[in-house]
Amino acid sequence: MTAPEVIKAADTLVEAVRTGTACPPVRSLLAEGDVETAYAVQRVNVERGVAAGRRVVGRKIGLTSPAVQAQLGVDQPDFGALFADMAVPEGGRVAAGRLLQPKVEAEVALVLGADLPHRECTVADVLRATGFALPALEIVDSRIAGWDISLVDTVADNASSGLFVLGGTPVPLMGLDLRGVRMTMTRGGEPVSEGTGADCLGGPLNAAVWLASTLAGMGDPLRAGDVVLTGALGPMVVAAPGDRFEARISQLGRVAVEFATEGDRS
């Protein structure tokens, strides 16, 4: 039986989405620092989504930046689920009002061609299992008002997931140096975020190893076909109606997205 506080926190987050009004932090409903229970909240809402017909297509990794980890007082990343209805076409538009407090970050996405079932996953395992890489934009969002989040809040809130955009040209990993890739993200043509692969937990493959090992240990391993958003390569940037973001990642290419204006909800 699911604990009442887990259900209450899950319901609070769902209500924020339903009403379009961000909620107070849910950490007040859970024991301080109880990350395991926060993941239980996340699982409740993921299972609700699946029961409603949504399809899980992968995972996102968050908190890969040492600076963000220090801010939240943690020493490891977190993860959330990606649903098919969270995918935005490359160069597509996000309807006004679809998200509460969107921010954009550029990432390396891996698409798996094989399962990763081992509790002690290695870089070699990830390399063998990855079908191809893509440049990606993650549009993070928080159901918590003012992004007033602790680790417990963001984990419960599906790792502050929102939407994601994948580039359209798959690149095999053979010969790629994901640690050395360089990223520049622009908003309206002006640079707003820069970074390298090494800024993501020392390299996107390290982040993928952590995720694969963690999920396998939970009995829910990554599977062939899963999309893995490996974590931000540079600082996230607040998105406003009318903004257009484009990220260029060396060796991988470009990916872009637009945000519709308030009068255009298409």
Side-chain angles (χ1 to χ4, degrees):
M1 181 177 292
T2 305
E5 63 269 22
V6 170
I7 297 300
K8 185 172 182 179
D11 288 347
T12 298
L13 293 166
V14 168
E15 184 69 3
V17 174
R18 188 189 70 80
T19 63
T21 302
C23 62
V26 296
R27 58 182 178 269
S28 62
L29 303 174
L30 308 174
E32 184 176 354
D34 189 349
V35 178
E36 183 176 349
T37 300
Y39 275 117
V41 175
Q42 181 187 128
R43 282 194 299 274
V44 166
N45 282 337
V46 169
E47 290 167 1
R48 286 171 169 175
V50 171
R54 301 178 76 192
R55 181 168 66 95
V56 175
V57 294
R59 297 289 195 281
K60 63 149 289 184
I61 308 171
L63 304 181
T64 55
S65 161
V68 176
Q69 288 184 4
Q71 181 182 5
L72 295 181
V74 299
D75 60 1
Q76 66 176 14
D78 69 346
F79 67 84
L82 299 176
F83 289 97
D85 58 15
M86 292 166 59
V88 178
E90 200 285 317
R93 178 181 294 179
V94 177
R98 183 171 180 184
L99 300 175
L100 299 180
Q101 308 172 94
K103 300 181 181 183
V104 181
E105 55 191 33
E107 309 191 7
V108 172
L110 304 179
V111 180
L112 300 183
D115 298 350
L116 282 169
H118 304 298
R119 291 170 179 261
E120 295 182 355
C121 183
T122 69
V123 168
D125 293 328
V126 171
L127 288 169
R128 281 194 297 265
T130 299
F132 52 88
L134 294 167
L137 293 172
E138 184 184 0
I139 306 169
V140 294
D141 194 19
S142 181
R143 274 51 66 175
I144 308 299
W147 279 88
D148 177 14
I149 60 172
S150 68
L151 177 61
V152 166
D153 292 301
T154 187
V155 167
D157 192 21
N158 198 27
S160 303
S161 297
L163 306 171
F164 66 96
V165 190
L166 300 178
T169 304
V171 180
L173 292 191
M174 183 67 69
L176 273 183
D177 173 17
L178 290 181
R179 189 176 188 277
V181 298
R182 294 189 171 275
M183 178 279 296
T184 299
M185 185 170 72
T186 60
R187 178 176 56 194
E190 296 296 323
V192 289
S193 181
E194 295 183 341
T196 70
D199 294 325
C200 172
L201 213 66
L205 294 177
N206 295 341
V209 166
W210 173 85
L211 178 67
S213 299
T214 299
L215 290 176
M218 293 179 169
D220 185 23
L222 290 168
R223 302 292 188 186
D226 280 350
V227 175
V228 177
L229 298 183
T230 56
L233 302 180
M236 66 177 68
V237 180
V238 173
D243 283 345
R244 182 182 188 276
F245 290 87
E246 178 175 299
R248 295 181 180 271
I249 302 177
S250 62
Q251 305 180 62
L252 291 179
R254 59 177 291 281
V255 59
V257 72
E258 297 182 7
F259 288 80
T261 60
E262 293 293 348
D264 179 4
R265 293 187 174 263
S266 60

